[in-house]
Amino acid sequence: MSTAVETASSAVIVAIDGPSGTGKSSTSKAVAAKLGLSYLDTGAQYRAITWWMLNNGIDVTSPAEIATAAAKPVIISGTDPTGPTITVDGEDASGPIRTQEVTSKVSAVSAVPEVRTIITELQRSIASGAEGGIVVEGRDIGTTVLPDADLKIFLTASPEARAARRSGEVKGSDLAATREALIKRDAADSGRKTSPLAKADDAVEVDTTELTLQQVIECVVTLVEEKRTAA
């Protein structure tokens, strides 16, 4: 296991992108914990701002209202991979941001340029402040948020595999409906004008369709260790 000194001397910024259901969060947290790196779930930040807007009567079908309110909430992300936290105006939001209501509205809120500007700056400041290195996961990390990341990874999987994984996470969910929702979310995220979901030209693509979570984690750990050695 790496010592604190070794970790600090080989600090690495890792960007992990990809659509929902590819294993991004589970992989990113496990890799960060294994290698002594900080961890940031950027999707949670977009969920947090969406949750705040829903709670504060903002019309989330109105880009103008969203833009006006975007700078109001104070979002703080804890970066310990073994217990990541997120608060909004001092209130623990880790549970509420995972509701179906937030899930159904987050694409619309996160597509508003003013929201992306604010959250992107927050993400960059967290990454630059992670002295020992960090794993940052999302949809536009390698392309927009951290284009100079030391290592960029893009996780993919078939819609069927992703829907099966997501249905497994949500009790009583319908597989076909989940698949449909994922495809719809992909289209929204890939088609937005500001920072769309996209694979960076210099990203390593990892197809997780036929891989177990443990295999994906091992693959990414190997890629990070190779990058550290080469640094």
Side-chain angles (χ1 to χ4, degrees):
M1 188 172 175
S2 297
T3 65
V5 174
E6 287 173 336
T7 301
S9 64
S10 52
V12 62
I13 292 179
V14 183
I16 300 184
D17 290 306
S20 302
T22 53
K24 277 200 316 287
S25 293
S26 300
T27 299
S28 299
K29 276 188 280 197
V31 169
K34 196 164 187 176
L35 297 175
L37 301 170
S38 295
Y39 160 76
L40 178 62
D41 174 1
T42 64
Q45 295 175 320
Y46 285 107
R47 285 175 170 273
I49 199 167
T50 301
W51 173 69
W52 181 90
M53 291 195 179
L54 290 169
N55 269 10
N56 285 273
I58 307 301
D59 180 359
V60 294
T61 65
S62 167
E65 270 201 47
I66 292 170
T68 301
K72 292 180 180 177
V74 176
I75 298 169
I76 297 176
S77 298
T79 57
D80 179 351
T82 61
T85 58
I86 188 159
T87 63
V88 183
D89 294 342
E91 185 178 348
D92 178 14
S94 52
I97 64 171
R98 301 295 171 185
T99 63
Q100 186 54 47
E101 185 184 20
V102 171
T103 299
S104 66
K105 303 290 194 300
V106 67
S107 281
V109 172
S110 62
V112 176
E114 288 82 358
V115 170
R116 297 208 77 81
T117 297
I118 287 164
I119 299 292
T120 295
E121 287 308 313
L122 176 60
Q123 291 161 1
R124 285 176 179 159
S125 69
I126 292 169
S128 64
E131 293 179 4
I134 191 168
V135 177
V136 183
E137 59 130 318
R139 286 170 165 74
D140 65 340
I141 310 306
T143 52
T144 302
V145 180
L146 300 169
D148 298 324
D150 300 301
L151 175 64
K152 301 174 189 177
I153 295 167
F154 193 85
L155 299 184
T156 64
S158 70
E160 290 73 23
R162 291 164 51 211
R165 290 168 187 165
R166 191 45 56 93
S167 290
E169 293 171 6
V170 184
K171 289 180 181 175
S173 60
D174 178 276
L175 189 60
T178 302
R179 181 180 182 276
E180 203 61 40
L182 285 175
I183 291 172
K184 190 175 176 183
R185 175 83 193 267
D186 289 351
D189 290 346
S190 302
R192 65 171 176 249
K193 291 179 181 177
T194 307
S195 304
L197 163 67
K199 177 190 168 191
D201 292 338
D202 54 348
V204 178
E205 185 169 323
V206 178
D207 188 333
T208 70
T209 305
E210 303 293 335
L211 301 177
T212 64
L213 176 59
Q214 199 52 47
Q215 287 172 323
V216 179
I217 292 166
E218 287 169 8
C219 172
V220 175
V221 164
T222 300
L223 289 169
V224 176
E225 288 180 331
E226 285 174 353
K227 181 58 69 173
R228 275 179 161 178
T229 305

